[in-house]
Amino acid sequence: MQESKLFELLHSLSWAEKVGQLVQLSGDFFHGEELSTGPKQKLGITEETVKLTGSVLNITGSETTRRVQEQYLANSRHKIPLLFMADIIYGYRTVFPIPLGLGATWHPELIREAFEVSAEESRSAGAHVTFAPMIDLVRDARWGRCLESTGEDPLLNADFATAMVKGLQKEKDGVMEGIASCVKHFAAYGAAEGGREYNTVDMSERRLRQDYLSGYKAAVDAGCKLVMTSFNTYDGVPVTGNEFLLKHLLREEWGFDGVIISDYAAVRELIDHGIAKDEKEATQLAMQATNDIDMKTGCYANQLEPLLKEGKIDPELVNDAVWRVLKLKNDLGLFEDPYRGATPALEEQTLLTPENRALARQVASEAIVLLKNEEELLPLVPNKDKILLVGPYGDKQDIMGLWAVHGKASDVVSIKAAMEKILSPDKFSFENGCDLLDDYQFLGEFGATKEQIASVGMTSEQRIKALDDALSAGKEADVIIFAMGEHTMQSGEAGSRTDITLPEIQKEFIRQMIALDKKTVLVSFSGRPLVYTEEVKQMDAILQVWFPGLEGGNAIVDILYGKTNPSGRLSMSFPHSVGQMPLYYNEFKTGRPLNSTTHRGRFISKYLDSPNEALFPFGYGLSYSNVQYSNLVLNEKQMTDQLTISVDIKNESERTCLETVQLYVQDVVGSVVRPVKELKKYKKVQLAANEKKTIHFTLCREDLYFYQQDMTFDAEPGEFIVFVGKNSQDTLNESFELLE
Ligand code: GLC
């Protein structure tokens, strides 16, 4: 629709109709009158509100969305189509690895392809908007939503944010062929104190800007159409009512003119935060902060008109918000086609194609990180050794992670299924071995009934038999592969944990099996970094597989048997102990660093009972190749605008490999303290067997900008150190001077 017509439409609306466009309800309001009575009463809204609401949450499927849209438009005076928004975080029906695994690929271009698939599938299923990318920077593995993040580094997060937004929206000549992306959760939700979900976030504006905003900014610069507010406070003000963050920084400083939508019930939660005394005040705060859509509360629906009548809200604020929602609907072409071409036939031919599955397998292969490989136990040779696969994740198809809302476990390839395809029965056996958890009561928080909980897991007799069977089978095996990990529900939203080791029941089982003295491989499933200090001593090899998605089993077996040379590199540090949290590689030096020259022994910045460093550092990952770095060369020892840096890498193996060459920089002295190093460049490079390449990087002055003491964003002259290597610790170093 021409914008002039859209503008006329806006001003043809009544205030009730305008307010309706700013309300988002969940799907249960649209499944027939009898079903929606309860939810209406709970939210304190009327049937009229439902009729006027502008968007709906988490209804997908072309048949359903078409029916709901048809009914909605038939009852609508203004004929403004309903907007369908959903959580399609890392794949629709073709589910890719969780984003913490996607981050470990260090391959944004590949992830852009994956998100294009996600967009095609979800568009064919009637979705218009997805609440992705989630790009909250994370430094605390206790927080369950590490699962959804690409990790701890500002640059890597920004690159993935750009790739995901462009993949999802698929814009060509200004036409959005994909679906609208909604970057979240703005801002700094990942810095919740104690790693405790929904907890307070408080940090300096410098830290916010220097470390936490890069992903959101990249998403906005990539043209994301929506931004979702986060549940947390920032500087004492909950984000959903925070004018500094939403109005001044996001809209005025960054120029974001898209739709801001609150997170689930976050407008009303301004009351719980204690910053609004009632729904009217909460509504006023959120609208004045320029939050456009109220997700799933009755605040805007019930309070905006009274506030307008009482002159407590500038009508132009409401008109601006409605205009942004109408523009979004227009950008999606909804006025021309409210269904955007979604039909059951299109859905049928789009979902889960062989090409999509193949891409999911490649992404999962690149997401998996080889953490240990003692005496090169891996890769295994099919049918050479007798293999026992053991553990609760051995034949599990629920390996997609908590936010795979639209994935089907029946589509998933388990490790056992993948191994049976390549191993002969006399060389392979499987045993459950042990329960995933000792106690499943917490599933009640997700609505599981007592009977359902009772049906999960093994009885005590079954547990005894499972162990006996596993020990017997283990005695006959040459290699034992342990498929272990945290429960899907132990990470993701509201999945904060203070103990981030493998579940104790699994650790106890491993201790019993280790006594068999066989070659051992741990394949670990998790939505966060786990503490593997015990397993590192027990296992010959360790694969971190995250929740690898649809093709997880195939990808894992491809790596176990060498069809794929592992290339994953951690995008989040793995600790020795949960007590190290928060842990991140780009920390400050402190006045008493470990290598302090003026202080000795006790009186330096360290723990009495744990190393400072990560067990497995940011950027770490092994492969079946041994890549040697040499000859780090800076074209100048002094830099004004840019510096060319080169390094030689050689693949000292007979296998082709993918090597992620990482370049970090330290600003040795600044007007504020500067990190010990910061990732500035990286390249994922293929090397053929025994191939040597020279890799070149260009470092620009802008790469050295930071927020100085007066918050000027610029570089400061002085000494810098360049670190180039295969991870954040194992590097070659050279220094240079930045001139005025
Ligand atoms: C949830 C999450 C958010 C999600 C939204 C809609 O509470 O915080 O990430 O997109 O609600 O489901």
Side-chain angles (χ1 to χ4, degrees), residues 665-685:
V665 170
Q666 180 188 19
D667 182 349
V668 178
V669 178
S671 60
V672 294
V673 294
R674 307 287 294 118
V676 294
K677 61 181 63 130
E678 298 172 283
L679 180 72
K680 292 297 179 187
K681 304 286 175 189
Y682 59 93
K683 279 182 184 171
K684 191 161 192 176
V685 179

Side-chain angles (χ1 to χ4, degrees), residues 434-496:
C434 72
D435 228 333
L436 202 158
L437 294 177
D438 186 41
D439 175 355
Y440 292 88
Q441 289 311 313
F442 85 115
L443 294 180
E445 293 174 351
F446 291 89
T449 63
K450 284 195 176 8
E451 296 69 30
Q452 286 168 326
I453 293 170
S455 70
V456 178
M458 302 179 190
T459 64
S460 45
E461 296 75 18
Q462 287 168 333
R463 288 183 178 182
I464 292 164
K465 183 178 184 318
L467 175 59
D468 288 348
D469 293 349
L471 287 166
S472 309
K475 288 183 185 114
E476 307 306 313
D478 302 311
V479 180
I480 302 174
I481 298 175
F482 293 85
M484 318 302 271
E486 63 179 352
H487 191 282
T488 306
M489 299 293 194
Q490 285 185 299
S491 62
E493 183 171 357
S496 294

Side-chain angles (χ1 to χ4, degrees), residues 122-304:
S122 40
R123 173 171 177 169
S124 76
H128 299 152
V129 175
T130 178
F131 298 128
M134 187 279 213
I135 207 75
D136 302 330
L137 185 130
V138 286
R139 293 174 160 173
D140 194 322
R142 292 171 293 183
W143 194 50
R145 302 194 80 165
C146 295
L147 172 145
E148 300 168 64
S149 169
T150 50
E152 71 188 49
D153 183 75
L155 174 71
L156 207 53
N157 284 359
D159 288 354
F160 278 110
T162 303
M164 291 171 171
V165 168
K166 291 188 180 298
L168 286 169
Q169 298 190 166
K170 292 180 68 186
E171 289 184 280
K172 274 198 190 100
D173 309 324
V175 175
M176 192 175 1
E177 295 181 357
I179 59 175
S181 68
C182 175
V183 68
K184 69 185 185 184
H185 305 79
F186 187 79
Y189 179 24
E193 286 180 357
R196 196 183 82 210
E197 185 60 285
Y198 313 124
N199 202 7
T200 300
V201 167
D202 213 357
M203 64 178 72
S204 67
E205 185 178 334
R206 181 190 323 286
R207 168 158 285 191
L208 176 77
R209 288 177 178 277
Q210 189 70 44
D211 299 331
Y212 281 86
L213 292 184
S214 65
Y216 313 116
K217 179 69 167 56
V220 168
D221 291 347
C224 73
K225 298 292 181 184
L226 299 93
V227 174
M228 182 186 289
T229 67
S230 54
F231 290 119
N232 54 281
T233 55
Y234 169 71
D235 198 15
V237 180
V239 173
T240 307
N242 192 312
E243 269 194 62
F244 162 69
L245 280 179
L246 302 186
K247 187 174 176 206
H248 301 311
L249 194 150
L250 181 55
R251 290 201 188 281
E252 291 166 1
E253 184 182 324
W254 288 5
F256 177 68
D257 61 357
V259 171
I260 298 176
I261 182 170
S262 73
D263 200 342
Y264 195 102
V267 171
R268 200 186 182 289
E269 286 173 14
L270 296 176
I271 302 169
D272 303 278
H273 274 290
I275 200 163
K277 71 174 188 307
D278 55 25
E279 289 198 0
K280 185 176 275 188
E281 261 193 19
T283 301
Q284 194 171 15
L285 278 172
M287 183 47 70
Q288 273 167 348
T290 74
N291 176 74
D292 297 320
I293 295 180
D294 171 12
M295 184 193 290
K296 199 63 170 64
T297 86
C299 290
Y300 278 24
N302 297 333
Q303 305 301 336
L304 269 179

Side-chain angles (χ1 to χ4, degrees), residues 8 16 89 99 249 286 324 402 595 660:
E8 285 169 20
I89 315 296
L249 194 150
R324 289 188 283 261
L402 190 66
N595 55 6
T660 299

Side-chain angles (χ1 to χ4, degrees), residues 312-324:
K312 289 183 178 171
I313 280 269
D314 175 353
E316 283 317 299
L317 274 177
V318 177
N319 282 328
D320 291 348
V322 178
W323 173 250
R324 289 188 283 261

